[in-house]
Amino acid sequence: MNVRAVHKTSRSVVLLWNMPAKPNGKIVNYIVSYRQATSSKPEYEVTTLMFLKIENLHPYREYILQVNAATSKGPGPYSDELNVWTYPDSKYKNL
């Protein structure tokens, strides 16, 4: 699905991805899973678009993100994991 981070800040990441090569029917939505690298508990966002802005993240943290496509038959497999670091908060830029 070629998941990639196309923009990030200290508190958000914008993900972009391609349709799966062989979807199992018409795609009805995408499920994005994300978690801090130090956590085992993911959070989820659902969208019908092939991009998503994930907000309210913590500055200078590593996140692990994955996407899957869901059809009327159910969700497909998750993409490979994408590791992304958010930027440090701007108040720490000059340290």
Side-chain angles (χ1 to χ4, degrees):
M1 289 180 62
N2 192 25
V3 180
R4 56 220 178 265
V6 295
H7 181 75
K8 60 184 178 175
T9 68
S10 62
R11 299 190 181 270
S12 68
V13 172
V14 176
L15 294 179
L16 183 67
W17 56 87
N18 299 341
M19 286 181 60
K22 296 181 181 179
N24 189 19
K26 182 181 177 190
I27 296 171
V28 293
N29 60 39
Y30 294 93
I31 303 166
V32 178
S33 164
Y34 64 98
R35 64 180 172 84
Q36 284 189 42
T38 57
S39 172
S40 60
K41 184 181 175 191
E43 295 188 49
Y44 300 93
E45 297 280 345
V46 178
T47 181
T48 57
L49 306 173
M50 290 192 299
F51 65 91
L52 179 69
K53 183 177 184 179
I54 302 171
E55 299 182 283
N56 300 315
L57 301 178
H58 296 282
Y60 203 56
R61 302 279 173 87
E62 182 181 19
Y63 284 86
I64 298 172
L65 308 108
Q66 292 180 286
V67 178
N68 79 23
T71 67
S72 58
K73 297 176 184 175
Y78 272 99
S79 65
D80 292 338
E81 291 182 347
L82 175 68
N83 294 58
V84 175
W85 280 85
T86 53
Y87 289 123
D89 232 347
S90 59
K91 66 183 176 182
Y92 299 111
K93 265 187 181 174
N94 296 324
L95 292 180

